[in-house]
Amino acid sequence: MRAQVGIVGAGPAGLALSHLLARRGIDSIVVEIRSQAHCEARQRAGVLEAGSVEVLRAAGVSQRLDREGLEHGGIYLQFAGERHHIDFRDLTGGRTVTVYAQTEVVKDLIAARLDAGQPIEFDVTDTEVRALDTTRPVLRYTSAGGERREVVCDAIAGCDGFHGICRPAIPASLCTVHECSYPYAWLGILADVPPSTDELIYCHHPGGFALHSMRTLQISRLYLQVTQDEDIAAWSDERIWDELQRRFALPGWELKEGPVLDKSITGMRSFVSAPMRYGRLFLAGDAAHIVPPTGAKGLNLALADVAVLARALAALIRDGREDLADGYSGTCLNRVWRATHFSWWMTTMLHATPGAGPMEAQLQLSQLRYTTSSRAAATALAENYVGYPPLHP
Ligand code: RFL
Ligand code: PHB
């Protein structure tokens, strides 16, 4: 078989890339180890930067996002029994973010690709990438029906997430990895109750961080900092709501409770593998980098990568121009490192480190007071949160 680009992984990165390439007249095949239902049900991120919305518009899949996405002009930072608003519109010249679930982005991207008659191979096994240092890299997989297939490509996009097979296909001697983990995790719930807030609340509390987010005006998404090795079985719905009530408590404000629809625990790490290219293999999204979710950057970085990659691959394959492909990794890593720093900063400012003494808490509170009282400091948070310069998808 033949495809100009072989895309490994049908997450937001791989799916968006397939659309951005199609717009440029480049055909691709997408292979995915999980089922369509699984890809469409995974509860993950929820905040899109304006640049990410632009990427999805350029990919031609923004009709529902434009209709149903919730525009947010700020966030709240809560600490020491006070809640402060960070006004993005005021601080960044009118810029905002859009709350629209990653699950919905993925559903829209899958539907648009299938509607266009371009298949996605779900439920594949034994994905392999070979001949990466040639101009005809090869993608091999076993289809859902059990047939072994080989696709000869011009380039392969490794969009297969942190646990995928593409990053490990790069010779270890050519990779530099930077990594740190955090001594806590997030317990996230999806709840059938209207949000108790108009914008997200990031809450510092001696008992641990909490976040009030949302999916729609009917469905709330909430997170609690828990220990790294937490057993989800130890968290009944009642215990979760009690802990959320304790951390978010504020006189005159009420946290509404409702049935818990989904419950899961996510570990937190920062990870960057560089370069994001080896020969004709290009990594994008979580396959190359992971950030802790506190800055809401994971999904946005994945979409930013593929906006750059689509242009680079079009130049390479259509016009025989190597310069954008050569610049791909450096261009993306600039943004990745900025988001990595911002996510680390938000995470360490807002979470209680197990075993840390009162010194850490005082430093965090000082930073939070500064961020909510100095226009310069608030602007730094706002600029990072709403995202970085346009992507030209
Ligand atoms: P994805 O979404 O992980 O998609 C990769 C896809 O590749 C498939 N795959 C393979 N396919 C074929 N062959 C193989 N050998 C394969 N190996 C893997 C996988 O099944 C999957 O479908 O990566 P992508 O596209 O780069 O998108 C990145 C985002 O998904 C990610 O950055 C964010 O969702 C991170 N993240 C969160 N970010 C936030 O901003 N807020 C959150 O609340 C939040 N929660 C999360 C998250 C990531 C999680 N992961 C990765 C474990 C919660 C979780 C559980
Ligand atoms: C979410 O809605 O899932 C969400 C929002 C903001 C974050 C992380 C997760 O920082």
Side-chain angles (χ1 to χ4, degrees):
M1 285 161 68
R2 177 85 181 102
Q4 285 172 301
V5 179
I7 299 178
V8 187
L15 291 166
L17 178 65
S18 79
H19 288 283
L20 296 173
L21 289 172
R23 257 183 84 234
R24 292 175 162 82
I26 305 244
D27 70 83
S28 61
I29 175 164
V30 180
V31 302
E32 165 61 50
I33 42 171
R34 311 304 296 251
S35 67
Q36 180 176 350
H38 181 92
C39 292
E40 292 183 344
R42 278 185 295 218
Q43 283 303 322
R44 290 191 174 172
V47 176
L48 294 173
E49 296 173 4
S52 298
V53 173
E54 284 310 312
V55 173
L56 294 169
R57 285 204 183 113
V61 292
S62 66
Q63 296 85 344
R64 207 157 64 90
L65 161 63
D66 285 329
R67 221 172 37 239
E68 297 175 17
L70 304 172
E71 187 181 1
H72 281 201
I75 56 168
Y76 296 97
L77 286 181
Q78 180 172 334
F79 56 94
E82 301 163 18
R83 188 173 292 168
H84 299 260
H85 190 233
I86 305 283
D87 187 334
F88 297 161
R89 285 194 186 90
D90 175 42
L91 295 164
T92 66
R95 300 173 69 192
T96 58
V97 294
T98 301
V99 171
Y100 188 70
Q102 179 170 331
T103 46
E104 306 309 311
V105 171
V106 166
K107 279 185 215 164
D108 296 345
L109 287 164
I110 290 176
R113 186 166 164 100
L114 298 181
D115 284 351
Q118 295 164 328
I120 304 171
E121 295 268 2
F122 288 104
D123 299 299
V124 307
T125 49
D126 300 319
T127 321
E128 282 181 279
V129 290
R130 293 282 182 270
L132 302 172
D133 53 357
T134 73
T135 54
R136 285 286 178 272
V138 173
L139 168 63
R140 290 200 198 105
Y141 64 95
T142 303
S143 72
E147 190 185 320
R148 191 76 185 149
R149 299 206 177 127
E150 178 168 303
V151 190
V152 178
C153 308
D154 295 312
I156 292 179
C159 304
D160 50 349
F162 185 66
H163 300 288
I165 51 105
C166 290
R167 192 181 64 251
I170 302 179
S173 61
L174 301 179
C175 281
T176 305
V177 168
H178 293 90
E179 184 170 20
C180 73
S181 68
Y182 301 83
Y184 30 77
W186 278 16
L187 189 164
I189 62 163
L190 196 66
D192 187 5
V193 61
S196 304
T197 178
D198 57 340
E199 293 181 337
L200 274 58
I201 308 168
Y202 288 80
C203 177
H204 175 278
H205 187 277
F209 170 75
L211 171 63
H212 190 329
S213 181
M214 63 193 73
R215 288 292 171 262
T216 65
L217 295 177
Q218 287 76 41
I219 303 284
S220 299
R221 176 87 170 141
L222 297 112
Y223 297 94
L224 279 174
Q225 176 186 344
V226 294
T227 59
Q228 224 174 359
D229 53 359
E230 195 71 53
D231 177 8
I232 197 142
W235 288 84
S236 64
D237 296 358
E238 190 189 0
R239 182 177 174 206
I240 293 171
W241 283 115
D242 285 351
E243 193 56 28
L244 287 165
Q245 293 287 2
R246 194 167 75 86
R247 296 190 195 176
F248 282 117
L250 202 65
W253 180 81
E254 188 204 347
L255 176 65
K256 292 182 287 239
E257 300 185 10
V260 174
L261 305 172
D262 185 89
K263 198 187 320 189
S264 65
I265 292 185
T266 309
M268 318 233 325
R269 75 167 81 222
S270 295
F271 175 94
V272 181
S273 178
M276 290 168 59
R277 174 194 186 178
Y278 168 63
R280 287 288 177 110
L281 171 68
F282 297 81
L283 301 180
D286 279 14
H289 43 74
I290 297 280
V291 287
T294 328
K297 289 289 170 226
L299 170 59
N300 292 296
L301 284 178
L303 293 173
D305 285 351
V306 296
V308 179
L309 185 55
R311 302 184 98 201
L313 291 179
L316 183 70
I317 295 168
R318 229 177 34 195
D319 314 326
R321 261 179 60 194
E322 302 262 351
D323 56 332
L324 294 182
D326 290 346
Y328 169 69
S329 179
T331 302
C332 290
L333 286 170
N334 261 333
R335 173 186 297 263
V336 166
W337 275 113
R338 179 86 299 282
T340 300
H341 177 269
F342 175 65
S343 305
W344 166 84
W345 177 74
M346 286 284 278
T347 300
T348 53
M349 174 169 73
L350 286 162
H351 289 72
T353 310
M359 175 82 183
E360 183 195 75
Q362 288 304 328
L363 290 171
Q364 289 177 325
L365 289 171
S366 172
Q367 183 65 43
L368 284 161
R369 269 187 219 107
Y370 180 51
T371 303
T372 50
S373 60
S374 151
R375 188 171 174 92
T379 303
L381 188 157
E383 271 182 3
N384 279 279
Y385 200 99
V386 300
Y388 311 110
L391 290 162
H392 308 297

